Amino acid sequence: MIRVPFPASWTVGPKLGAFERPDAATAPRPVTVPHDALRDLPRDPASPQGVHAGYIPGGVFAYTATFEVPTAWRDKAVLVEFEGVYRDAVVRVNGDVAAHHAGGYSAFTVPLDGFLRFGETNTLTVDARVHKDSRWYTGAGVYRPVHLVVADPVHFALDGIDAPAVDVDDERAMLALSAEVHNTTRHTRTTRVTWAIVDPGGVEVARTSVPLTLTPGETAVARTRVAVADPQRWSPEAPHLYRVEAALTDEADDSELDRAALTTGIRTLQLDPARGLRINGVGVDLRGACVHHDNGVLGSAGDAAAEDRRIRRLKEAGFNAIRSSHNPASRAVLEACDRHGMLVMDELTDVWLQSKTAFDASITFAETWREEVAALVAKDRSHPSVILYSIGNEILELGRPIGAAWGRRLAEEIRRLDPTRYVTNGINGIIANLDAIAEITGGAEGEGTDDGDDATDPNTMMANMGAQMAAANASDLVSRSIEEAASVLDVVGFNYADSRYRQDAIDHPHRVIVGSETFPDRIAELWRLVTELPHVIGDFTWTGWDYLGEAGIGRVDYTDADGYVATGTAGPYPYVLADCGDIDITGHRLPASYYREIAFGLRRAPFIAVHRPQHHGRPTAKTPWSWDDVVASWSWGVPSGSPVTVDVYADADEVELLLEGRSLGVAPVGKVRDLVARFEIAYRPGELLAVARKDGVVIGSHALASAAGDASLRAAAESGILPGPLSFVDIAVSDAAGVVPCDRDVLVSVEVDGPGEIAGLGTGRARTEESFAGPSCTTFDGRALAVIRRTGDGPLTVRVSADGHAPVEVSLA
């Protein structure tokens, strides 16, 4: 079936009761869908959503669209498809309830035929609500695309085309073609399904067809197999994609009834504890990033260009896999992963039957799980990037027999619908045994908050337990409690449980493991385990890309600050970001990202990370998700001679540090930390050069230069963005060579001249009260990002200004 963007203008406003009337504050306002209704609400430290949502409140929202329904649709099948509405969506057509969908991340379809007024203007309304139903920022409303489908009464089912490669060698690949067809008429119809296979170069390489007879009201599946000669295989290094085009015709008169298409790849998967994961026969270690679904300054709005940009930058940073934490990835994410060769662990949910927050998805899970699994598989099954389905994350009941039974139920349903991929689960043995673990360890000490992030909160427990956590995760108690839950999986995912890796090879020699969630600063040690132990197929750090909510989980506190109070893992207001990504929400790579690239063995050159000299010597407090408070800059507004700590990341024996060609000394690598050489020096402007040596041989160097002359305001539109309405404009205060001083932040204002608007504006600063709606924000470490949405045709100019700087303009195509 052919999807088109829903042809309507949308408005949104607070959902009012039956006897309420809108006023100036509650009147609906025009918006562009996909849209996040939460992002721009006033933040409040007393918000019931609390630290989990970055102190952004919840609410109930009503989206409305009016659209024309021609009389010609009277004999058609008319549907509206929502890729995602958060959450508890109620869909009404012309005031009548047409559907209710509880899930916040799964696609669903609403048949409109019985509600339409033909030849008239019709109204579609979508209600959505958010209130203490997640442990992170979800956004709210119609935050993923909406599609209209108008089809012949005999038509392909949505996502009804499939073409898995079931038998592949170098000479040919056998595709098992299938097409699900609905006959909604009162008559038996004989149709013909024709498939054409188009290779990555656009050449048709195979064509076949079969007849299909459908009785009245029947849904049937047409199947056949076709050989593709000399297949170009999809892999992370060479993501070749084929297009499968299907046509449905009436056998009586050869008239076309429907068309459908999918993009897919030909590849094979193999898995065993001796050789790990193999794709097309080649061993692959998963260099993984856990990633939440929000798009930073855009909130949760799921734009395809933003998703593509994120996947591309994660790949450029050395990751070859993502985990959609902790909900199904969008279609746009999977399409981007297919294009860029990014492997995917697609996750179903964060809860089953036991709740983690007051109003989460556990309330409806027992009734909706089959629907949620079916939606996940229907979306994923054609995407070569998807190699693992995860049935959950840190499920509370996992260590109990009934919980294990639920895990088996979920895994078997996924295998029934898609036997071509592997099933995993993010197991945290501590969280599955919270009461018993607390007895063993005597509880975890820590400061709490009114939001529930206290000494019994799992994040706080893990932050404070340290070595006790590792011992508990490897204990007989945990081993016994998770044995059945692990046995239903193809790959056992362990969250923060690398202490099990070696012993499990002995106790469970046929078990394959993935580090489904790990602490970011332990990647050097963890990656050695991945490369050493064949039954451990990868590591997924928390996190690859920073995100909204779980505010301040990765922050660095300076504990000598006036009024400082320890708050465990909870970041106090006004923290809004987690502050724990290798890459910040604007897409800027942080020093942790380069450290990881070195740990992965992908970068030979060292990397310089400078501790902010204005904080030199101050005591700090960190969480296990924190990195050091460092930046890649040698341009500081401190007096010459000020003390400064410099770290150089390197896979080397030693590093020599030079300033303006004069050696400042040689430091060994690994003395203070894996892959780190540390220097205590005095700040003086110039070029700071690090030279790394291994076995006495120079293996690489990295230099930082101080800004020369006056810094100016600069702005540039990014290239390589997926075609669409969004443009990404990088803003910085830098010298002529592009050197950005990190301590000269300014308030920048953005204006749009022409058919466009600010879709989002912000920085990577985790603690801020500034809105992402614009039109102004304060740069962070000298940088900001503006996302501009085109609203019509014609010249479009973005003007950026700041006090003390000449304004700059960017013309957008």
Side-chain angles (χ1 to χ4, degrees), residues 72 157 193 201 289 313 331 342 346 396 481 553 747:
V193 180
R313 292 200 172 196
R331 284 200 183 106
M342 183 72 82
D346 205 1
L396 292 173
S481 71
I553 192 177
L747 182 69

Side-chain angles (χ1 to χ4, degrees), residues 75-156:
D75 298 322
K76 299 290 186 179
V78 184
L79 308 95
V80 59
E81 183 193 36
F82 298 91
E83 289 194 29
V85 177
Y86 201 91
R87 181 175 173 262
D88 284 324
V90 177
V91 180
R92 288 175 286 137
V93 182
N94 297 319
D96 294 317
V97 174
H100 171 243
H101 186 78
Y105 297 101
S106 52
F108 63 100
T109 302
V110 182
L112 301 182
D113 311 66
F115 303 92
L116 295 177
R117 299 170 182 166
F118 298 97
E120 299 182 25
T121 299
N122 286 238
T123 301
L124 179 72
T125 304
V126 184
D127 299 339
R129 66 208 72 235
V130 175
H131 178 60
K132 295 189 73 171
D133 56 14
S134 180
R135 300 183 300 115
W136 56 87
Y137 177 84
T138 61
V142 186
Y143 73 101
R144 286 180 179 170
V146 185
H147 307 283
L148 177 70
V149 178
V150 181
D152 190 274
V154 181
H155 55 261
F156 289 123

Side-chain angles (χ1 to χ4, degrees), residues 611-633:
H611 295 249
R612 299 178 191 271
Q614 61 267 40
H615 298 313
H616 186 267
R618 296 182 65 189
T620 61
K622 301 196 298 183
T623 80
W625 295 275
S626 303
W627 198 257
D628 293 325
D629 186 13
V630 293
V631 289
S633 176

Side-chain angles (χ1 to χ4, degrees), residues 43-54:
R43 297 172 63 216
D44 184 347
S47 164
Q49 298 264 93
V51 65
H52 301 304

